[in-house]
Amino acid sequence: MKATAPPAKRRRGPRLAVLALVFCSLLVPIAFLFNRFPAVYVTDERPQQEIDLPSSRKAFESGGSVNEDVSKKTPGSSSVSHRNIDSDPSIDSSKPKAIVLPPPKIEQVVLPPPKVEPKPEVKPVPVPVHQNPKINPEKIKRPPRVQSADEVEKAKACQLEFGSYCLWSIEHKEVMIDTIVKRLKDQLFVARSYYPSIAKLKGKETLTRELKQNIQEHERVLSESIVDADLPSFIKMKIERMDQSIARAKSCTVDCNNVDRKLRQILHMTEDEAHFHMKQSAYLYNLGVHTMPKSHHCLNMRLTVEYFKSMPLDPNDSSAHKFNIPDNRHYVILSKNVLAASVVINSTVSSSEDTENVVFHVLTDAQNFYAMKHWFARNSYRESAVNVINYEQIIFENFPEFGTQQLYLPEEFRVFISSLERPTEKSRMEYLSVFSHSHFFLAEIFKDLKKVIVLDDDVVVQRDISFLWNLDMGDKVNGAVRFCGLKLGQLKNLLGRTMYDQQSCAWMSGVNVIDLDKWRDHNVTENYLQLLRKFGNNDDEASLRASALPISLLSFQHLLYPLDERLTLSGLGYDYGIKEEVAQSSASLHYNGNMKPWLELGIPDYRKYWKRFLTRDERFMDECNVSP
């Protein structure tokens, strides 16, 4: 007899393949939801750090505790690293501390002292700005409403986790008429809490079915209704029927602990659901403020294609000789946004009396270079000249040893300032903008120039600022508006053991007067490279860009010339409390913050100042539906 072969074993390969396919099909929509595969045009976002600092100077000098939270914020992120120095036994609380997460790897850096003789403190030069006599320039913002301690902590926690989304959501909160909807939800919660206990009782099958049916009907109605106007006409009958069922359920003898446990469970689930929706809304908000609008992307593409299709319209043939004349008035703009750079130039020219010797140098990246070239070839700005420079190419060809060849826009850091003396007052949120790594190569790029004015691409000039060319800054290098709400001593852990004046104020970019001759005399670029080796991590772009704050503050700590605070009004990209009269009377407006004026999420009351200088009747803007 032949031995029969054993039955063949079933192969597990096909089953595993099917399971893997099902698993992947579930992961794809989840990954898409959390931006693993972005379907939008992402711009070069600026890193934002959260810094919680006391505004009281006495608290800093006497050793008050300081909490400092620093984290890289990206679209979709919702968590913030936090550390409390009061709970860390390894930290001496007798001295002020500033804690930064993650701490940079810092070695001791001793910069060479500036080659200047000690001089008395330079006083800011008053700005010749038209002032309305009825306006007090010191009172720029509306007086804050006094809040309770719980409200302050809740608002602070929201801003630490979601940033400026909290301010935006408060301003855009809709008042909904949903009294009946809320009553339906309350009935649904109570019915759900009683249903498990009633279902276990004998002889209550009819009540159990009635409760279940009413719960299902309420869920169906609430899934289609948000406000009272969405409810069906027979909703009163359903409410009365649910009230009767709940009353019968309450008359039954049930274990109150079970009902209480179920109510708490429903409460926690509701809180988690509300927090999830807030995270989802914050993600969409961050996606909106950190992405380029589709119409702007279309404009860049159309301009680039048209540049190569048409004959080169090069306006530099007649004005190229102005680019390297030191006696001309040279403005420098770092931008990747065609419309933003155009508004800065148009507003500056429109506000100036004499533009014959005005030259604008627009530094952009390789991707937007040809779009910029074609745009400024098609549009003229009185007698001024516009020079578009491919920053990445010029750094790669002429300064390959620098390593940092990518164009970085001014970096912005979100700063929270609270008072230790009055903790119940609302914390102030400010956006501190400083120079990026690309700014420190200006002296190498413009070797023939002596002085330039650097303008951020989110600035609108409303008054003639030509008086800045007549400033005598002495031996100072950087003329900037100081931000004394933040002292260098409050960033001790961030700045490391470098020698610096702890009482020195921070400063803001936006409108800066740069003396390039003094820059070269004080070796600012060499000092920057030395600091970059200590603070920057070239392998990690996030750490590299975050290091712009300590490097900018330390590079100009002894070389800063204070400009009048009325020169620039900051905060138009996040602060809803700026009065219209103050904005109209300011020499320049700085839209620092997330809500830029070219975005739909920009603050509507402030966008009109930016739109005033936007180019009109442009064919490509109409074709790409760029709404002015």
Side-chain angles (χ1 to χ4, degrees):
M1 295 179 61
K2 292 184 179 181
T4 58
K9 295 183 178 180
R10 295 183 179 179
R11 297 181 179 179
R12 296 183 178 180
R15 287 187 293 174
L16 294 177
V18 172
L19 290 176
L21 183 61
V22 173
F23 182 72
C24 292
S25 65
L26 294 175
L27 281 182
V28 168
I30 298 177
F32 180 82
L33 177 62
F34 289 96
N35 199 26
R36 293 295 186 269
F37 306 100
V40 291
Y41 306 109
V42 181
T43 62
D44 186 47
E45 62 179 275
R46 304 176 183 184
Q48 299 162 7
Q49 302 183 18
E50 292 78 22
I51 306 176
D52 183 16
L53 300 170
S55 60
S56 173
R57 182 176 178 181
K58 294 181 180 179
F60 170 72
E61 293 176 349
S62 62
S65 62
V66 178
N67 289 342
E68 185 175 282
D69 306 317
V70 179
S71 66
K72 178 72 171 59
K73 299 294 291 181
T74 57
S77 65
S78 59
S79 62
V80 177
S81 302
H82 181 75
R83 182 181 175 190
N84 194 332
I85 65 172
D86 296 333
S87 61
D88 192 343
S90 63
I91 299 177
D92 183 9
S93 61
S94 62
K95 297 182 180 180
K97 299 291 192 300
I99 298 176
V100 179
L101 296 178
K105 298 179 180 179
I106 304 173
E107 300 178 5
Q108 186 169 2
V109 183
V110 180
L111 297 179
K115 303 176 183 178
V116 294
E117 296 295 331
K119 291 187 176 183
E121 183 180 358
V122 182
K123 297 183 179 180
V125 177
V127 181
V129 180
H130 172 72
Q131 293 287 343
N132 190 332
K134 297 181 180 180
I135 302 172
N136 185 357
E138 299 296 331
K139 298 181 180 180
I140 294 180
K141 303 173 184 177
R142 292 193 295 259
R145 181 178 66 88
V146 179
Q147 295 180 326
S148 63
D150 293 338
E151 291 177 333
V152 171
E153 290 300 325
K154 185 177 180 180
K156 180 179 176 181
C158 179
Q159 292 183 9
L160 283 175
E161 183 173 2
F162 301 114
S164 59
Y165 163 75
C166 298
L167 301 178
W168 179 87
S169 62
I170 293 174
E171 291 293 330
H172 293 80
K173 185 177 181 180
E174 297 182 4
V175 179
M176 297 188 300
I177 303 177
D178 56 352
T179 305
I180 302 178
V181 172
K182 290 180 179 179
R183 184 179 178 185
L184 290 174
K185 292 180 180 179
D186 293 340
Q187 287 183 331
L188 183 61
F189 292 159
V190 175
R192 283 175 174 174
S193 63
Y194 274 95
Y195 176 76
S197 301
I198 298 298
K200 296 178 182 179
L201 298 179
K202 295 182 179 180
K204 299 295 181 182
E205 290 80 7
T206 303
L207 179 58
T208 301
R209 288 194 299 270
E210 185 178 338
L211 272 177
K212 183 178 181 181
Q213 182 180 358
N214 290 334
I215 290 174
Q216 291 176 348
E217 291 179 355
H218 270 49
E219 290 176 344
R220 189 181 305 109
V221 171
L222 290 175
S223 65
E224 301 174 354
S225 305
I226 299 178
V227 294
D228 294 349
D230 301 333
L231 296 173
S233 58
F234 51 85
I235 193 62
K236 292 184 178 180
M237 185 185 305
K238 293 183 178 295
I239 293 177
E240 294 176 358
R241 192 183 307 163
M242 177 65 87
D243 283 336
Q244 295 175 1
S245 300
I246 292 176
R248 292 174 56 190
K250 289 182 177 180
S251 63
C252 299
T253 303
V254 296
D255 189 355
C256 294
N257 292 329
N258 294 336
V259 178
D260 178 73
R261 190 183 306 111
K262 187 63 177 179
L263 276 174
R264 292 181 183 276
Q265 181 182 2
I266 295 174
L267 176 62
H268 293 325
M269 291 175 59
T270 305
E271 290 178 348
D272 293 341
E273 184 179 1
H275 190 262
F276 169 78
H277 287 299
M278 180 173 286
K279 288 176 61 177
Q280 194 176 44
S281 300
Y283 163 73
L284 296 176
Y285 166 82
N286 286 322
L287 194 65
V289 298
H290 287 125
T291 54
M292 178 186 296
K294 186 177 180 180
S295 57
H296 290 214
H297 181 78
C298 169
L299 177 63
N300 286 353
M301 295 297 100
R302 292 285 288 113
L303 290 171
T304 302
V305 172
E306 193 68 20
Y307 175 86
F308 290 101
K309 284 177 57 179
S310 60
M311 295 295 294
L313 302 174
D314 194 358
N316 299 339
D317 294 339
S318 59
S319 58
H321 66 281
K322 298 182 180 180
F323 296 160
N324 297 322
I325 299 178
D327 295 334
N328 287 342
R329 297 176 176 180
H330 297 270
Y331 295 86
V332 177
I333 304 170
L334 280 71
S335 179
K336 301 178 182 179
N337 190 323
V338 174
L339 296 181
S342 175
V343 168
V344 177
I345 295 176
N346 193 21
S347 64
T348 305
V349 170
S350 301
S351 305
S352 301
E353 295 182 0
D354 183 15
T355 61
E356 183 178 359
N357 297 324
V358 173
V359 180
F360 293 94
H361 303 273
V362 181
L363 300 179
T364 187
D365 58 353
Q367 179 179 350
N368 298 280
F369 173 70
Y370 297 104
M372 290 273 193
K373 289 278 289 184
H374 195 67
W375 174 271
F376 291 110
R378 292 171 55 89
N379 299 276
S380 60
Y381 303 89
R382 294 174 63 180
E383 297 87 1
S384 64
V386 180
N387 179 26
V388 181
I389 301 174
N390 187 342
Y391 172 86
E392 297 174 353
Q393 181 179 358
I394 197 172
I395 293 295
F396 176 76
E397 293 178 353
N398 300 324
F399 315 104
E401 68 277 6
F402 286 156
T404 309
Q405 300 173 1
Q406 181 180 351
L407 175 66
Y408 291 106
L409 302 181
E411 309 290 358
E412 293 184 347
F413 297 83
R414 193 165 63 237
V415 182
F416 291 91
I417 303 176
S418 57
S419 175
L420 294 181
E421 297 177 352
R422 294 180 295 273
T424 58
E425 289 187 358
K426 184 179 180 181
S427 300
R428 292 190 293 114
M429 184 181 72
E430 305 281 352
Y431 276 81
L432 179 66
S433 59
V434 296
F435 281 177
S436 67
H437 297 282
S438 301
H439 286 79
F440 288 94
F441 302 136
L442 295 180
E444 304 297 331
I445 297 175
F446 304 104
K447 293 183 177 181
D448 298 330
L449 304 184
K450 298 179 180 179
K451 180 184 287 188
V452 296
I453 293 181
V454 181
L455 301 175
D456 288 359
D457 63 351
D458 54 356
V459 167
V460 172
V461 179
Q462 299 188 126
R463 299 286 184 270
D464 190 358
I465 59 174
S466 58
F467 68 92
L468 294 175
W469 296 104
N470 301 323
L471 289 181
D472 182 10
M473 299 195 303
D475 293 318
K476 305 300 181 181
V477 174
N478 182 7
V481 176
R482 293 185 299 180
F483 177 67
C484 290
L486 179 63
K487 301 294 183 65
L488 299 189
Q490 295 171 285
L491 301 174
K492 187 175 182 180
N493 278 25
L494 180 63
L495 300 179
R497 297 186 297 272
T498 306
M499 301 296 294
Y500 58 88
D501 182 9
Q502 295 190 5
Q503 296 301 325
S504 295
C505 297
W507 55 274
M508 296 275 287
S509 67
V511 179
N512 299 87
V513 184
I514 303 298
D515 191 330
L516 295 179
D517 286 340
K518 299 300 180 183
W519 182 299
R520 301 181 186 98
D521 293 341
H522 295 302
N523 299 321
V524 175
T525 302
E526 288 74 10
N527 294 339
Y528 155 77
L529 294 175
Q530 183 181 0
L531 289 170
L532 181 62
R533 287 191 290 269
K534 304 301 179 182
F535 287 92
N537 183 5
N538 294 330
D539 297 332
D540 184 6
E541 183 180 358
S543 300
L544 177 65
R545 297 179 63 180
S547 65
L549 177 61
I551 292 177
S552 293
L553 296 180
L554 293 177
S555 297
F556 299 104
Q557 61 168 327
H558 299 299
L559 307 174
L560 189 68
Y561 181 87
L563 298 179
D564 196 295
E565 294 181 355
R566 293 172 296 175
L567 175 65
T568 303
L569 176 62
S570 302
L572 277 76
Y574 68 93
D575 189 357
Y576 285 88
I578 299 177
K579 295 182 179 180
E580 182 178 2
E581 297 84 356
V582 178
Q584 291 178 352
S585 62
S586 299
S588 60
L589 305 176
H590 190 193
Y591 291 82
N592 57 318
N594 276 340
M595 291 172 273
K596 301 299 182 183
W598 53 82
L599 300 174
E600 293 184 1
L601 292 175
I603 301 178
D605 292 341
Y606 309 149
R607 292 182 67 189
K608 59 184 178 182
Y609 306 115
W610 186 83
K611 291 182 178 180
R612 185 191 310 165
F613 300 100
L614 191 62
T615 302
R616 307 288 177 172
D617 301 328
E618 173 61 44
R619 177 168 63 92
F620 295 119
M621 292 178 62
D622 296 336
E623 293 178 358
C624 292
N625 196 24
V626 178
S627 57

Tab-separated table of all heavy atoms in Angstrom, residues 64-67 83-89 91 93 99:
chain	number	residue	atom	x	y	z
A	64	GLY	N	13.262	86.757	41.260
A	64	GLY	CA	11.974	86.109	41.052
A	64	GLY	C	12.101	84.950	40.095
A	64	GLY	O	12.960	84.927	39.234
A	65	SER	N	11.231	83.965	40.241
A	65	SER	CA	11.313	82.793	39.376
A	65	SER	C	10.830	83.130	37.986
A	65	SER	O	9.922	83.916	37.802
A	65	SER	CB	10.471	81.651	39.952
A	65	SER	OG	9.126	82.039	40.000
A	66	VAL	N	11.455	82.522	37.017
A	66	VAL	CA	11.136	82.761	35.613
A	66	VAL	C	10.922	81.428	34.947
A	66	VAL	O	11.744	80.533	35.058
A	66	VAL	CB	12.274	83.528	34.905
A	66	VAL	CG1	11.935	83.710	33.444
A	66	VAL	CG2	12.497	84.870	35.566
A	67	ASN	N	9.812	81.291	34.248
A	67	ASN	CA	9.558	80.114	33.431
A	67	ASN	C	9.752	80.479	31.988
A	67	ASN	O	9.206	81.460	31.526
A	67	ASN	CB	8.124	79.599	33.623
A	67	ASN	CG	7.941	78.972	34.979
A	67	ASN	OD1	8.921	78.623	35.625
A	67	ASN	ND2	6.708	78.841	35.412
A	83	ARG	N	8.710	73.256	31.456
A	83	ARG	CA	9.479	72.852	32.616
A	83	ARG	C	9.377	73.936	33.654
A	83	ARG	O	9.562	75.108	33.358
A	83	ARG	CB	10.943	72.630	32.234
A	83	ARG	CG	11.823	72.156	33.387
A	83	ARG	CD	13.253	72.002	32.919
A	83	ARG	NE	14.148	71.670	34.011
A	83	ARG	CZ	15.460	71.676	33.913
A	83	ARG	NH1	16.023	71.961	32.774
A	83	ARG	NH2	16.219	71.381	34.946
A	84	ASN	N	9.091	73.582	34.876
A	84	ASN	CA	8.927	74.545	35.956
A	84	ASN	C	10.143	74.485	36.853
A	84	ASN	O	10.481	73.436	37.391
A	84	ASN	CB	7.661	74.222	36.753
A	84	ASN	CG	7.261	75.368	37.662
A	84	ASN	OD1	8.112	76.139	38.088
A	84	ASN	ND2	5.979	75.465	37.941
A	85	ILE	N	10.816	75.617	37.042
A	85	ILE	CA	12.038	75.601	37.833
A	85	ILE	C	11.735	75.416	39.310
A	85	ILE	O	12.613	75.024	40.081
A	85	ILE	CB	12.838	76.900	37.624
A	85	ILE	CG1	12.056	78.099	38.152
A	85	ILE	CG2	13.181	77.113	36.192
A	85	ILE	CD1	12.845	79.370	38.152
A	86	ASP	N	10.486	75.699	39.729
A	86	ASP	CA	10.158	75.525	41.139
A	86	ASP	C	10.147	74.062	41.528
A	86	ASP	O	10.303	73.720	42.701
A	86	ASP	CB	8.793	76.157	41.435
A	86	ASP	CG	8.832	77.650	41.207
A	86	ASP	OD1	9.908	78.251	41.324
A	86	ASP	OD2	7.756	78.198	40.924
A	87	SER	N	9.930	73.169	40.567
A	87	SER	CA	9.858	71.746	40.864
A	87	SER	C	11.164	71.029	40.611
A	87	SER	O	11.231	69.823	40.751
A	87	SER	CB	8.747	71.101	40.024
A	87	SER	OG	9.036	71.249	38.650
A	88	ASP	N	12.203	71.742	40.217
A	88	ASP	CA	13.488	71.119	39.928
A	88	ASP	C	14.436	71.391	41.089
A	88	ASP	O	14.888	72.510	41.290
A	88	ASP	CB	14.069	71.672	38.621
A	88	ASP	CG	15.242	70.838	38.141
A	88	ASP	OD1	15.809	70.065	38.935
A	88	ASP	OD2	15.583	70.978	36.965
A	89	PRO	N	14.778	70.396	41.910
A	89	PRO	CA	15.633	70.651	43.067
A	89	PRO	C	17.056	70.984	42.694
A	89	PRO	O	17.810	71.483	43.520
A	89	PRO	CB	15.550	69.331	43.850
A	89	PRO	CG	15.236	68.315	42.808
A	89	PRO	CD	14.395	68.996	41.799
A	91	ILE	N	18.048	73.229	40.728
A	91	ILE	CA	18.183	74.621	40.332
A	91	ILE	C	18.061	75.504	41.552
A	91	ILE	O	17.142	75.359	42.353
A	91	ILE	CB	17.119	75.000	39.288
A	91	ILE	CG1	17.301	74.139	38.050
A	91	ILE	CG2	17.190	76.473	38.931
A	91	ILE	CD1	16.266	74.384	36.995
A	93	SER	N	16.867	78.484	43.315
A	93	SER	CA	15.800	79.445	43.072
A	93	SER	C	16.098	80.812	43.638
A	93	SER	O	15.285	81.709	43.555
A	93	SER	CB	14.484	78.930	43.671
A	93	SER	OG	14.624	78.761	45.064
A	99	ILE	N	14.794	79.000	31.599
A	99	ILE	CA	14.960	77.608	31.184
A	99	ILE	C	14.518	77.453	29.754
A	99	ILE	O	13.436	77.894	29.382
A	99	ILE	CB	14.154	76.679	32.105
A	99	ILE	CG1	14.693	76.809	33.533
A	99	ILE	CG2	14.228	75.252	31.637
A	99	ILE	CD1	13.927	76.020	34.530
